[in-house]
Amino acid sequence: MDIQPIRSDEDHARALDEIDRLWGADPATPEGARLEILFMLVDAYETAHHPMPPSDPISAIEFMMEQRGLSRHDLEPMIGSRARVAEVLNRRRPLTLPMIRRLAEGLGIPADILIRPYPLKDAA
């Protein structure tokens, strides 16, 4: 099996092409083993060279709202009044610990994401 480390974006592109070619290979075959190794190499390269920034709390809330088809009104039991929801989602008011607890439970967002610091807009 001739597999090389991924050291550049070109190597990465070639590995992705090879993964496409091998997609669906039986894991018990040499092709399946090659596919598994390529997955690990691509994952390691992407983690090192193209890391995903951690989601900020408001982006995570908006993502879950979109995924679940929720409106701002649906957040009122977790955040407070309609005005309070608007302030939080518009980044004018920070999340409080009780809000974080209710959002974690209600939306299933891990609390470690909700407690991350994020920039607020000036209230003026």
Side-chain angles (χ1 to χ4, degrees), residues 31-103:
E31 291 81 13
R34 182 178 180 85
L35 178 62
E36 185 176 349
I37 292 168
L38 286 170
F39 273 136
M40 289 186 280
L41 289 171
V42 165
D43 182 55
Y45 180 81
E46 289 175 351
T47 299
H49 294 88
H50 304 287
M52 293 287 293
S55 181
D56 75 61
I58 304 307
S59 297
I61 293 167
E62 290 170 338
F63 175 78
M64 290 305 287
M65 288 174 63
E66 181 180 328
Q67 291 297 304
R68 295 182 179 187
L70 301 175
S71 68
R72 288 181 171 214
H73 176 73
D74 297 316
L75 297 182
E76 289 177 19
M78 293 171 259
I79 294 177
S81 68
R82 185 172 76 174
R84 180 68 38 95
V85 170
E87 289 172 332
V88 167
L89 293 182
N90 291 329
R91 301 171 185 263
R92 299 213 182 274
R93 177 181 292 273
L95 291 168
T96 64
L97 187 55
M99 288 177 196
I100 290 169
R101 287 184 181 130
R102 291 188 297 263
L103 288 164

Side-chain angles (χ1 to χ4, degrees), residues 102-120:
R102 291 188 297 263
L103 288 164
E105 185 176 325
L107 296 179
I109 300 171
D112 66 319
I113 291 175
L114 294 171
I115 63 171
R116 290 183 180 150
Y118 61 96
L120 295 175

